[in-house]
Amino acid sequence: MVVLAASILTKTGKVLVSRQFVDMPRIRIEGLLAAFPKLVGTGKQHTYVETENVRYVYQPIEALYLILVTNKQSNILEDLDTLRLLAKVVPEYAPSLDEEGTGEMAFEIIFAFDECLSLGNKENLTVAQVRQYCEMESHEEKLHKLVLQSKMNEAKDVMKRKATEIEKSKIEKGKFQTGAYSSISGPRRSESGFGDINISSSGSGFGSGSGFGLNTESIESFSSKSKDRPAASAKAPPKGLGMQLGKKTQKTNQFLESLKAEGEVIIEDVQPSAVQSKSVLPPTDPITVTIEEKLNIIVQKNGGLRNFDLQGTLSLQILNQDDGFIQLQIENRDMPGLSFKTHPNINKDLFNREQIIGLKDPNRPFPTGQNDVGLMKWRVQKMDESSLPLTVNCWPSVSGNETYVNIEYEASDLFDLQNVVISVPLPALRDAPTVNQIDGEWRYDARNSSLEWSILLIDHSNRSGSMEFVVPPADQSAFFPISIKFAASSTYSDVKVAGINSLKGANVPKYSQRVQLMTESYQVV
């Protein structure tokens, strides 16, 4: 009797554990196990199935199948005895007889199979003996662990010793550098101090036994002069040498003023104030929904829309995991060309049917933390010119030695625009252009040779506006392409969260929405 393999399968045919006891390629055993669910019939009391080459001896264990794959010449009674032994061993190691419990203890089950079968032959053992043999301590394993631990401790000691040696070498190196500096500067101070000492050789000599003699007057004069004279190291360096921190020279100020005159934005170095040091406040609401849309538009100067591309995203931020069991009810403006794409974990059927964003597994919460999680994207393309949120027309005309440029804008009634900046390129100019009339503010950028028209807010009071400026004669193409930037607190497609449904508990958590529309690229060419 030879057992080719002992395996555990689900009722659908998924292999959870398989132990081969003979030399067999993986493709062969996978093919044998894949064919088993097709051979098992329903409503039959047999515990084995035969094919042309092998025999399957199996036993159901709750939601699983325990299978022995043997050759047809094996004794089926011994195979059934082996199967009963394995059926008693598996529950001893698997906490639950399902796919998850068997997968967690897969290696322990394989080790138990190895104790029950040796080279395909059954060992005469009981369940208690199998467990005892699997838990038996190994002296060689303990010895190996002790040797490994001793090597790790020795490596740590060597590392500490090396770190101590490196630290000592750094300290000695610092002492050497300090001593070298003292040896260089010391004699200079002694030369400057002892230069005023009066060394008298009168009354002294080699035979007098007093050596060199010092007069009291000379000592008093040395002490008084050394007190009145500052030390050599305390002398201030002469002006004009070295760096003076914290002061700006006159040349630097002149250079900055010239850059400012050219239109360059100069950021002065200032001390950080209390307002600047404040970081962005974290969200206070348990749930924050962020909706952003970006516009990419190219409009022809003679009329017509060359490109319109709107891309939007909806992201979610949840602070507490208990608030993650929710669903979002979405609303949007009915408009042609609007298409949505949801995250792979979102239930697409639920969204397409009821426009509700929810996970495929309702028992699983949304991710939590300080980072936003993207849930949905949408896109709008191929709109007409009448649907633009802002249109800009430029009318250059040459009159004599001057070019009059009239620019007007018209905003849509859909939403208010904020921080609108219309940048008009200019030909090379010596002086700033003359602005005759403007609704808003303007700034001349000499470095980029452009005129920026700024409107802080466009609402119902100023849906249209104009500007006129004068420059020397220039071709009409010199005033294109015109770049436009703006932002809005509502989206073009009017996508928003109408409400939040709580899947667990009656209390709906508090939430807030951040909605923003901005231009990524908007040009009139």
Side-chain angles (χ1 to χ4, degrees), residues 236-242 244:
K239 293 183 179 180
L241 298 179
Q244 295 182 2

Side-chain angles (χ1 to χ4, degrees), residues 377-396:
K377 297 180 180 180
W378 60 92
R379 192 172 186 179
V380 180
Q381 291 179 311
K382 298 180 180 179
M383 300 293 291
D384 54 4
E385 191 174 2
S386 61
S387 60
L388 293 178
L390 181 67
T391 58
V392 176
N393 296 317
C394 181
W395 302 87

Side-chain angles (χ1 to χ4, degrees), residues 196-217:
D196 297 327
I197 296 177
N198 183 13
I199 301 177
S200 174
S201 59
S202 59
S204 63
F206 293 105
S208 61
S210 59
F212 289 101
L214 296 179
N215 293 335
T216 307
E217 296 177 359

Side-chain angles (χ1 to χ4, degrees), residues 139-155:
H139 177 71
E140 294 180 356
E141 182 181 2
K142 283 187 175 181
L143 183 61
H144 173 72
K145 289 183 178 180
L146 290 175
V147 172
L148 185 62
Q149 186 65 32
S150 64
K151 288 182 179 180
M152 293 175 62
N153 295 336
E154 184 179 357

